[in-house]
Amino acid sequence: MQVRSAVIPAAGMGTRFLPATKAVPKELFPIGDQPALQIVIDEALGAGIDHIVVVSSRDKPAVAQYFEPNEALLNKLDDSGKTALAERLRSIGRDWRVSIVYQDNPKGLGHAVGCAREAIGEEPFAVMLPDELMGSSALLAQMNGVCSSTEGSVVAVANVPRELVSSYGVIDPAGELSADGVIPVRDLVEKPSVEDAPSNFIITGRYVLTADAWAEIDALQPGRGGELQLTDALKAQAARSPFHAVVSDVSRHDTGNPLGFLTASIELGLTNPELRDDLRTFLANLQV
Ligand code: G1P
């Protein structure tokens, strides 16, 4: 059972990046020469996914525009001999499919994911929060395999210091961690207090969910912060079906705030063969 579709919720206002997000959606901010959104899509493609469902907002038309072919631009690049670049632009959406759906009211992550139900249909699917960049497809590919072998949903988690748990969804493990980093889950709680958190394993922004999650998402009632929380739908799922977490040690970048975005740009720049050497020299000589 290969997961074919991924939902990328990208309808947020990007308030933490104002005024930059007044005109440009933060999912299109560049990391090197790539929009952050494309890096998340590449991660999905590397895990065998070939249908990307972006949940956008009508206030962010540039997100849909990124996927539309621009013949005039392609012709100009071809005419000026920039064929490799033209080829890169042509490859956007060529071997994979993109669907844009709209979330017109910001009612929470559970609601945003629910907007993708019709585009995906009754099959397992991934959810990828684009504020987090994972640096490789390995984690998602492993989660896909665990979903397939356990026939249940899977979340990615990270073990963090206790004081951080109240900003995240947290799992309640039902057993021991296996040698390959998989742990059974009996419950999930959205942003618990430090005292009440059932563990130090926070949900990071990757999920592989079985199709029965849709019914739980549709039935969501307002939870933490008055929002429809994806974690609450998973809580209901974990109460009656197999549910696992994969503890990830892949390097994870939180681009949801300006500092995280800057550090992600630097770290990913250092893995890019075209930027690496000059960037390293610049950083070594920096005197501020
Ligand atoms: C969302 C989820 C939370 C998860 C987090 C990961 O929270 O609701 O369970 O741990 O993403 O980044 P948000 O960051 O949208 O408040």
Side-chain angles (χ1 to χ4, degrees), residues 114-198:
C115 295
R117 181 172 187 170
E118 223 172 284
I120 289 178
E122 302 306 304
E123 58 178 51
F125 59 99
V127 176
M128 305 174 76
L129 306 189
D131 274 354
E132 290 183 52
L133 302 180
M134 299 298 180
S136 101
S137 305
L139 170 63
L140 197 60
Q142 187 189 357
M143 293 170 71
N144 193 0
V146 174
C147 174
S148 193
S149 61
T150 61
E151 297 184 4
S153 290
V154 185
V155 291
V157 296
N159 198 353
V160 300
R162 190 75 178 176
E163 62 272 18
L164 298 182
V165 293
S166 50
S167 303
Y168 297 93
V170 178
I171 61 157
D172 184 1
E176 294 302 309
L177 194 60
S178 73
D180 49 358
V182 181
I183 192 165
V185 174
R186 74 173 131 235
D187 194 13
L188 304 95
V189 192
E190 180 67 8
K191 305 195 173 86
S193 65
V194 168
E195 302 76 51
D196 295 340

Side-chain angles (χ1 to χ4, degrees), residues 16 109-110 129 131-132 156 165 167-170 189-191 202-207 227-231 252 254:
R16 278 182 287 180
L109 180 60
L129 306 189
D131 274 354
E132 290 183 52
V165 293
S167 303
Y168 297 93
V170 178
V189 192
E190 180 67 8
K191 305 195 173 86
I202 59 154
I203 305 172
T204 58
R206 298 294 179 270
Y207 309 73
E227 296 192 342
L228 302 181
Q229 297 289 356
L230 181 61
T231 304
R252 169 174 151 260
D254 181 0

Side-chain angles (χ1 to χ4, degrees), residues 31 34-44 128 133-135 268:
I31 305 256
Q34 298 260 62
L37 181 59
Q38 184 64 55
I39 295 175
V40 179
I41 292 173
D42 287 345
E43 180 193 333
M128 305 174 76
L133 302 180
M134 299 298 180
L268 292 174

Side-chain angles (χ1 to χ4, degrees), residues 2-5 42-51 137 140-141 144:
Q2 163 66 46
V3 173
R4 298 185 304 173
S5 302
D42 287 345
E43 180 193 333
L45 303 180
I49 285 166
D50 64 3
H51 180 206
S137 305
L140 197 60
N144 193 0

Side-chain angles (χ1 to χ4, degrees), residues 6 13 29 80 108 120 163 179 193 220 236 251 254:
M13 301 265 298
F29 286 1
S80 53
I120 289 178
E163 62 272 18
S193 65
L220 276 173
S251 82
D254 181 0

